[in-house]
Amino acid sequence: MHSGHFTGYPMPKLVACTVALQQNEEQQQQQQQQEQEIVPNAFMVSDLILALVRDGLIAEEQPDPTHIILRELKKGELRPQILEGGVEKDRFDASWCIVRVNESAPKKVRSLFRHSHFPRENRFISQTPQDIREYFNHPSMARGAAGTSSSSSSSSSSSWARFSDFHLLLYVARLFDVATSFSLCDAVLNETPVDEGMEDVLKSLA
């Protein structure tokens, strides 16, 4: 695993590609190999196994190559449930650790949010109030870059765009309360002005 991702979260950089013949039901019945379609696929390690390896939950001895065995929990430890057929298991099919790589992506961004540079939660480096100041001082947060006009009236009406970051809204809920975060969420969703002074209040905590 490598930690070159901008979030610092470990991720794999190894992708396995396969090329295989694929038949539909009609072709299988006719057994006409010349009509089989060649299909390429790409696979990588899943987030599930990354998290288990990161947290040291994999047992050192793995006698069965077709299954992953989790180690015994120590006193005071908790781990997410791994369910198979609705039953919690401490061993699971190794094929669960392999997922298909996204083969395409939309050419046009369809996100509800305008920004994505606020630090993520649950990472090795915890979020701090200083991150809020750095967020608003980011080059992409310039009034023009945020999709706002230089005029004060336009800036006020488009102030919601400056709070349009999913992880910022989550952090506001933890830093203040859920009600404050919900009010900002409503402003972002409905593209309505945010209360004047809210940005200054957040910056003052740094």
Side-chain angles (χ1 to χ4, degrees):
M1 291 189 296
H2 301 269
S3 58
H5 197 259
F6 69 93
T7 62
Y9 192 75
M11 67 174 194
K13 293 188 176 180
L14 177 63
V15 175
C17 297
T18 63
V19 178
L21 295 175
Q22 185 178 42
Q23 288 181 304
N24 56 35
E25 294 182 0
E26 181 179 353
Q27 289 172 334
Q28 289 176 349
Q29 292 175 358
Q30 296 177 352
Q31 295 183 349
Q32 295 178 342
Q33 185 172 350
Q34 65 273 17
E35 295 184 7
Q36 291 178 338
E37 182 181 1
I38 298 177
V39 179
N41 285 305
F43 301 90
M44 65 183 295
V45 177
S46 68
D47 289 342
L48 168 66
I49 194 65
L50 281 180
L52 293 176
V53 171
R54 177 198 64 195
D55 297 336
L57 295 176
I58 305 295
E60 293 185 3
E61 296 185 3
Q62 300 288 330
D64 184 357
T66 65
H67 285 77
I68 301 295
I69 302 176
L70 303 179
R71 66 168 174 79
E72 294 289 336
L73 288 178
K74 300 177 182 178
K75 185 178 180 180
E77 280 188 326
L78 293 174
R79 73 179 177 212
Q81 290 183 324
I82 296 181
L83 303 178
E84 182 177 359
V87 180
E88 185 176 2
K89 299 286 186 177
D90 59 3
R91 66 192 301 271
F92 56 91
D93 194 323
S95 64
W96 293 7
C97 303
I98 305 298
V99 295
R100 188 189 302 273
V101 176
N102 186 20
E103 298 173 344
S104 63
K107 295 181 179 180
K108 185 177 181 180
V109 177
R110 300 177 182 176
S111 174
L112 173 68
F113 301 98
R114 295 289 185 91
H115 305 285
S116 59
H117 58 272
F118 192 81
R120 274 59 173 163
E121 55 283 333
N122 302 323
R123 295 297 189 262
F124 297 120
I125 301 177
S126 300
Q127 298 164 316
T128 66
Q130 179 63 31
D131 293 327
I132 295 179
R133 179 178 294 275
E134 294 177 0
Y135 167 83
F136 285 113
N137 290 337
H138 192 272
S140 67
M141 298 300 291
R143 294 291 176 178
T148 61
S149 171
S150 58
S151 65
S152 59
S153 59
S154 297
S155 297
S156 176
S157 63
S158 301
S159 59
W160 61 268
R162 297 178 60 78
F163 295 84
S164 185
D165 186 297
F166 177 72
H167 298 282
L168 170 69
L169 296 173
L170 288 180
Y171 186 61
V172 169
R174 189 173 69 177
L175 193 62
F176 284 94
D177 51 51
V178 175
T180 301
S181 180
F182 276 177
S183 67
L184 293 175
C185 289
D186 288 339
V188 171
L189 178 63
N190 300 314
E191 299 186 3
T192 55
V194 175
D195 293 341
E196 293 185 8
M198 175 58 72
E199 181 175 330
D200 293 332
V201 170
L202 293 176
K203 286 182 177 180
S204 68
L205 299 176

